[in-house]
Amino acid sequence: MKNALLAAVTLFASPLLLPAQYTTSNNNLPKRVITADYNQVSGPLPTIFNECVGAGRANEGLRADWQQQLAYVKKECGFRYIRMHGLLTDDMAVYKEDKNGKPEYNFMYIDALFDYLLSIGIKPFVELGFMPNALASGSKTIFWWRGNVTPPRSYEKWGALIEKLTQHVTERYGAEEVKTWYFEVWNEPNLDGFWAGSQDDYFRLYAHSARAVKKVNAAYRVGGPATAGAAWEPELIAYCHKNKVPIDFISTHTYGVKQGYLDEFGNTGTVLSSDTASISGDVWQSRKEIAASPMPRLELHYTEWSSSYTPADPLHDSYHEATFVLQKLKQSGTAANSMSYWVFTDIFEEPGPRYTPFHGGFGMLTIQGINKPVFYAYQFMNRLGKQQLVNKDPSSWVCKDQQGNLQALVWDYTYTQTDVEVNNQSLYIRDLPAKTKGKLNINIANVPEGKYALELYKVGYRANDAYTTYLDMGKPAGLSKEQVAQIKNINNGKAFHKEIVTVKNKEAFVKELDIRANDVFLLQLNKL
């Protein structure tokens, strides 16, 4: 069984090696040709991209603007779960002890948060952390909002807290609902900033947490280690296997820069990795480690990932982020059960409240709700049909939906760093025009005869590129209502081209476009 699973991993990974198809056009510009056949379906489209999305901390989820933005990205991008830090920190008022040391529990803030999530159709991917101060063994904290990262004074009291929380959500939402959730133990315990204990201390915390969740209902799903850099995966599996500790999934994190894991206040310079297997290499390695373990069928969830781990990286605001995300998700294929982009909004206060509208924040949306290019990457993916057509191009999906409509999502991912490495913080704050990459030819055979509405959407340099619009305004430290409206209007995501086309019997549908470095195109062909 172990060898068979490893062989399957190798088989699934092989599409990463396929080259794009290029020819030379009459004017000597390269022509990239994408061919597909309406009748040749390769299988279901992997949905790892919108299974889950990240958010900063639980208390931010009680804000009206945060909730409005989440409802918007849920509607447009289809996210099913959300994960965030700080569910058990003191600003959520979950735990205290009386003068005799007896625990007192309060879940009113969690109720308000979870009630809202479920009301808009998003389930919690429950991260169990950080430590309530009344239960903490020390005073070490992380972030502006001071999440306590020390082990519990009493692992038994910690376990009781997790059991009480699990029992409470069961009573409030019902066991059948909670069976669909995930419970993840802590966040990045392999980093000193996030966990003041040892690996053994974390395994002990994990065991008490997992057993507490399962004590309420054995069908509930629990996992970890939620590490940075795909660490501790075989070790946790071996620990659980040896000690008969429950585990249903492995979770970990990866980022696409060359060094570091934690930049709490955004002070570290970062350089985007030139490794073509960044992100996806970690994901496939995690899948191989699980396949080779005593528990080869565990789910795999990347509960944080992005191009960069710092909340002050202008790459997050750039049009380059959209193609980076698409390329890495395509490369990751079916290796993970979910890939949770970190995060959906710049309403995110790890380094404290931010003072400028574009500051390199992790979000898909700015604090004022302006769509960044990466938002459109996720929106476009969510518009794809559920069936993939056979397509050897490594930077595109061609799909069809249940109504027989066609969608092609195509991008160019070009690494634009110079030979002399320049920090992202110096590079992506500039106006960065895109160079031509020639012609893009989309050719789909055997499309049923008839009339179709063709719509074309685009992201790239000065195309749904809000940051460049902001540069044109002179980078004001604050934006007026009128300026926000102007940026949103210029970058509104509407189709740049619409037409009615007729497909004749036995003729292929063909569309040719000019493409530049790091452009994204969504083509929708809807039957009339």
Side-chain angles (χ1 to χ4, degrees), residues 249-484:
F249 64 89
I250 287 294
S251 64
T252 191
H253 307 155
T254 185
Y255 290 92
V257 290
K258 291 186 176 182
Q259 73 282 330
Y261 293 112
L262 174 62
D263 185 19
E264 181 178 350
F265 295 106
N267 297 323
T268 302
T270 49
V271 177
L272 184 66
S273 174
S274 59
D275 183 359
T276 56
S278 71
I279 306 292
S280 58
D282 280 348
V283 178
W284 283 104
Q285 181 61 32
S286 294
R287 176 54 67 191
K288 290 178 181 178
E289 289 176 353
I290 293 170
S293 79
M295 301 178 180
R297 298 190 179 278
L298 292 177
E299 291 185 15
L300 172 63
H301 295 275
Y302 266 74
T303 51
E304 287 184 27
W305 85 281
S306 180
S307 59
S308 174
Y309 59 80
T310 175
D313 194 324
L315 176 55
H316 295 137
D317 299 338
S318 170
Y319 68 90
H320 296 80
E321 183 79 356
T323 54
F324 177 88
V325 162
L326 290 168
Q327 188 76 357
K328 299 309 172 183
L329 286 169
K330 175 76 173 185
Q331 290 176 345
S332 296
T334 57
N337 295 82
S338 70
M339 295 277 289
S340 182
Y341 187 78
W342 189 253
V343 292
F344 83 90
T345 176
D346 279 352
I347 300 171
F348 180 95
E349 296 178 341
E350 287 183 0
R354 308 317 300 268
Y355 282 72
T356 54
F358 287 89
H359 49 266
F362 288 117
M364 301 176 185
L365 308 177
T366 70
I367 292 170
Q368 292 157 309
I370 297 169
N371 297 340
K372 299 183 188 181
V374 69
F375 165 84
Y376 290 113
Y378 277 91
Q379 184 194 59
F380 291 176
M381 284 186 284
N382 192 46
R383 292 179 178 176
L384 294 174
K386 293 182 179 180
Q387 291 184 309
Q388 280 192 92
L389 302 186
V390 174
N391 167 27
K392 294 182 178 180
D393 182 85
S395 298
S396 64
W397 282 291
V398 183
C399 300
K400 66 179 178 181
D401 60 26
Q402 291 179 330
Q403 290 74 42
N405 302 317
L406 284 167
Q407 308 85 31
L409 180 54
V410 184
W411 61 92
D412 171 84
Y413 176 63
T414 298
Y415 183 78
T416 55
Q417 291 280 26
T418 57
D419 291 336
V420 178
E421 292 181 350
V422 178
N423 280 357
N424 294 352
Q425 285 75 9
S426 299
L427 177 61
Y428 293 104
I429 59 170
R430 310 173 190 170
D431 186 286
L432 296 170
K435 296 179 180 179
T436 183
K437 298 298 290 283
K439 298 290 184 179
L440 169 66
N441 182 282
I442 301 171
N443 187 309
I444 306 175
N446 292 315
V447 177
E449 184 177 15
K451 288 187 179 295
Y452 291 82
L454 172 66
E455 296 183 354
L456 294 172
Y457 301 84
K458 183 179 181 181
V459 171
Y461 176 65
R462 294 189 177 275
N464 291 306
D465 175 15
Y467 180 71
T468 302
T469 306
Y470 174 68
L471 287 181
D472 292 343
M473 289 181 170
K475 298 176 64 175
L479 292 173
S480 66
K481 288 183 178 180
E482 292 75 19
Q483 287 173 318
V484 170

Side-chain angles (χ1 to χ4, degrees), residues 47-117:
T47 58
I48 64 171
F49 64 91
N50 66 0
E51 289 294 332
C52 189
V53 72
R57 83 182 195 274
N59 191 267
E60 290 159 359
L62 302 177
R63 288 175 51 162
D65 52 355
W66 185 101
Q67 293 183 0
Q68 291 161 4
Q69 289 194 18
L70 182 62
Y72 173 64
V73 299
K74 162 63 180 175
K75 176 176 178 290
E76 296 297 328
C77 305
F79 295 113
R80 297 170 181 85
Y81 290 83
I82 188 167
R83 172 188 179 269
M84 61 200 78
H85 300 326
L87 189 70
L88 305 178
T89 50
D90 280 6
D91 61 0
M92 292 298 286
V94 170
Y95 181 91
K96 66 177 182 177
E97 295 180 0
D98 67 16
K99 62 182 181 180
N100 298 315
K102 181 181 178 181
E104 296 181 6
Y105 307 102
N106 168 44
F107 301 115
M108 288 189 289
Y109 283 19
I110 292 178
D111 291 346
L113 175 62
F114 285 5
D115 285 358
Y116 177 74
L117 298 180

Side-chain angles (χ1 to χ4, degrees), residues 2-38:
K2 186 186 299 182
N3 291 336
L5 284 166
L6 285 170
V9 168
T10 303
L11 177 63
F12 286 139
S14 61
L16 304 186
L17 305 177
L18 289 170
Q21 299 178 60
Y22 283 93
T23 61
T24 303
S25 61
N26 293 334
N27 58 4
N28 294 320
L29 287 173
K31 179 184 284 189
R32 176 177 163 196
V33 180
I34 296 174
T35 59
D37 187 316
Y38 184 91

